[in-house]
Amino acid sequence: LEQFKPGDTLMRQGESGDRFYLIRSGEAEVSVEHDGRVRSLATLDEGKYFGERALLTGEPRNATVRAKTELETCSLGKDEFRQVVDVSPTFGEELRRALFERQA
């Protein structure tokens, strides 16, 4: 378990991805920066997850995620994430579906 305080950055847009996060409690804000402007995309709360895109595609992080409130997460490193996706086709399919929906 990891714990974050409001304002803590969990991942930054443009960085390489090495972790997948599941929120146990609290809220996280997802934002993107474009042409020097920051735009909030979503607030994620308990049961929501993030960080899968970079691990599935190998591309850099496409957003920044910061703790909006006290935040507690469970996370998986790249190798652990791969193992879970490999042994659970259903989980892998759900992640790919979420990835598609988030891109739309």
Side-chain angles (χ1 to χ4, degrees), residues 8-104:
D8 284 354
T9 301
L10 285 77
M11 59 188 225
R12 290 188 193 284
Q13 183 177 345
E15 291 180 339
S16 63
D18 63 351
R19 297 205 77 71
F20 167 82
Y21 296 89
L22 172 67
I23 298 176
R24 286 187 42 114
S25 65
E27 294 182 336
E29 181 176 23
V30 181
S31 63
V32 293
E33 183 178 339
H34 183 68
D35 292 333
R37 296 187 140 164
V38 176
R39 181 169 57 106
S40 179
L41 296 180
T43 296
L44 305 177
D45 58 12
E46 183 179 332
K48 301 293 192 296
Y49 55 84
F50 57 94
E52 76 285 352
R53 181 179 183 273
L55 296 177
L56 289 171
T57 67
E59 297 174 8
R61 300 283 194 199
N62 67 339
T64 296
V65 178
R66 289 188 177 86
K68 190 170 182 176
T69 64
E70 294 284 330
L71 183 67
E72 185 174 80
T73 67
C74 294
S75 69
L76 297 174
K78 192 181 286 189
D79 292 338
E80 297 163 312
F81 176 80
R82 254 304 134 214
Q83 289 173 358
V84 171
V85 170
D86 288 348
V87 299
S88 177
T90 306
F91 179 62
E93 183 57 35
E94 162 142 354
L95 291 173
R96 284 186 267 292
R97 186 174 32 257
L99 176 63
F100 177 77
E101 289 172 2
R102 289 178 183 180
Q103 289 178 330

